[in-house]
Amino acid sequence: MTGDPDLDRRKASLRAKLKARRAEAAQANDGANGAAIATLAADRFMAAIPVAVGQIVSGYWPMDDELDPRPLLMQLQRKGAMIVLPAVQQGTRLLQFRLCDDLADLPPAGAYGIPAPAATATALVPDILLVPLVGFDREGFRLGMGGGYYDATLQGLRAVVDKKILAVGYAFAVQQVAELPHAAHDERLDWAVTERGAVRFASERQS
């Protein structure tokens, strides 16, 4: 919640519409999570965004109708990237990123039932974050589920970590809209990747 009732209502209305759009896209492409589209999106990412051996890439375990990033994460892992998955830290809005060596096995359920590596897994700071979303716009603003976890985490990392951190929205193309309502604390994406291609957004961080 943003503290602005009008903005919250507008976001909630768009969220419902875009979740329905996302569900339709997933079901229209080989069932849940759109397997064929996920493979195509992985190819789009690989063609557009360079990832070096040893770089740390944060993925996510797909929930509901989110675009499945595992085909991409497996490709990156084979090329020498280190893959981490986010875990909610109880009592905060900050995510911790834990090493995931085996993307074939479902991790245990963490906070709020979201699969995440165990607390004993190595925690790392990612170079690239694949960010799940409900919608995104042409300026790089993102609409999530409303919890604010990625916004808070990105804001914290970008403020204190001494390296460039890329936030890459990963979604079906139908999840893009012309413009999203946003608050001052909403963090912008650096890229968005869909089955139709990759788009880089202009921002002060890229100058």
Side-chain angles (χ1 to χ4, degrees):
M1 305 292 283
T2 66
D4 180 336
D6 179 64
L7 180 60
D8 289 337
R9 282 193 295 269
R10 291 163 61 201
K11 283 191 171 186
S13 176
L14 270 172
R15 187 175 290 114
K17 292 176 182 177
L18 289 171
K19 284 179 71 176
R21 192 181 290 183
R22 183 179 69 184
E24 290 176 4
Q27 294 301 320
N29 293 280
D30 292 347
N33 303 117
I37 293 299
T39 299
L40 183 54
D43 292 341
R44 301 295 194 190
F45 181 103
M46 297 297 291
I49 302 175
V51 178
V53 172
Q55 278 197 299
I56 303 163
V57 180
S58 170
Y60 58 88
W61 199 270
M63 303 288 287
D64 300 323
D65 300 302
E66 291 174 342
L67 180 60
D68 190 347
R70 286 171 296 181
L72 170 60
L73 298 176
M74 289 177 181
Q75 282 194 56
L76 292 171
Q77 200 170 52
R78 288 193 294 270
K79 289 183 176 293
M82 301 174 69
I83 304 301
V84 294
L85 297 178
V88 175
Q89 300 186 84
Q90 293 280 20
T92 78
R93 289 185 182 273
L94 300 177
L95 299 171
Q96 184 182 66
F97 300 93
R98 300 173 184 167
L99 190 63
C100 180
D101 291 319
D102 189 354
L103 291 161
D105 286 341
L106 176 69
Y112 309 111
I114 299 172
T120 54
T122 302
L124 298 169
V125 176
D127 300 290
I128 300 171
L129 279 75
L130 284 188
V131 184
L133 50 83
V134 176
F136 69 97
D137 70 13
R138 60 192 174 191
E139 298 298 323
F141 287 104
R142 163 189 171 271
L143 182 66
M145 292 299 291
Y149 291 96
Y150 273 96
D151 286 320
T153 300
L154 280 168
Q155 184 180 61
L157 289 176
R158 285 167 167 167
V160 302
V161 175
D162 189 24
K163 65 178 177 179
K164 185 177 180 66
I165 295 176
L166 291 182
V168 181
Y170 206 64
F172 296 102
V174 296
Q175 293 175 249
Q176 182 175 7
V177 296
E179 186 176 4
L180 285 173
H182 56 270
H185 66 268
D186 289 336
E187 289 287 314
R188 289 172 64 186
L189 300 168
D190 297 290
W191 289 81
V193 175
T194 75
E195 74 277 13
R196 294 183 184 172
V199 177
R200 186 180 184 185
F201 301 110
S203 76
E204 293 180 0
R205 292 187 304 275
Q206 295 169 358
S207 61

